[in-house]
Amino acid sequence: MAIQTINCRKISRGHVKGNIIISKDPLSFLGGVDPDTGIVTDREHDLYQQNIGGKILVIPSGKGSTVGSYVIFQMAKNKTAPLAIIAMEAEPIIATGAIMASIPMVDQPEEDVLEILKEGNLVEVDADTGIIEILK
């Protein structure tokens, strides 16, 4: 049973459950994340040296070059990609990457998930219906 349900806008279809990794900084996948390992390499980012692979990534938005979409796609092929992406505001780079890589993605949550969610929370992202359920 969910502790809390949050409605969002659907970006890329899919349904997953996992632990979150959260950042208050926008993330650039091109030059900011190693697609071979899933580790954040941007020294200025608050997730520096942390692995985003296999977790539900919560960010305010993406940033950077359009090539970032292909980095996300490469991460999916390498099995180093996030399980899902929750953004306050999806911009075209990360949205396109999530769609190309078949990574569930939602944005525009009805509540400020950057304040509500905590590192390691277990959440279920249903990007088919646009719902996040906080499980613990």
Side-chain angles (χ1 to χ4, degrees):
M1 182 166 174
I3 294 172
Q4 186 172 0
T5 300
I6 300 170
N7 293 311
C8 305
R9 181 173 70 161
K10 304 174 262 188
I11 301 293
S12 178
R13 295 176 50 92
H15 190 152
V16 297
K17 185 188 300 186
N19 293 99
I20 66 159
I21 186 165
I22 191 166
S23 172
K24 296 194 189 280
D25 294 340
L27 182 62
S28 173
F29 279 82
L30 179 63
V33 180
D34 182 343
D36 294 326
T37 64
I39 294 174
V40 175
T41 57
D42 177 353
R43 292 179 184 275
E44 304 298 315
H45 200 274
D46 65 0
L47 294 180
Y48 177 59
Q49 295 187 324
Q50 293 189 56
N51 193 325
I52 61 172
K55 298 180 184 113
I56 296 174
L57 178 63
V58 181
I59 52 175
S61 67
K63 65 177 185 176
S65 166
T66 55
V67 178
S69 300
Y70 294 99
V71 173
I72 296 169
F73 180 71
Q74 186 62 49
M75 290 177 74
K77 290 183 71 129
N78 293 345
K79 300 192 182 337
T80 61
L83 287 177
I85 301 172
I86 300 169
M88 291 301 291
E89 187 65 43
E91 41 61 63
I93 297 163
I94 290 188
T96 301
I99 293 165
M100 287 173 32
S102 297
I103 297 170
M105 182 175 181
V106 294
D107 82 337
Q108 296 181 0
E110 64 185 3
E111 298 183 51
D112 186 350
V113 293
L114 296 176
E115 294 301 320
I116 294 170
L117 295 174
K118 302 295 177 225
E119 192 76 27
N121 276 143
L122 179 65
V123 300
E124 190 166 348
V125 176
D126 185 344
D128 297 333
T129 60
I131 293 175
I132 302 167
E133 288 189 330
I134 305 169
L135 304 174
K136 70 171 194 164

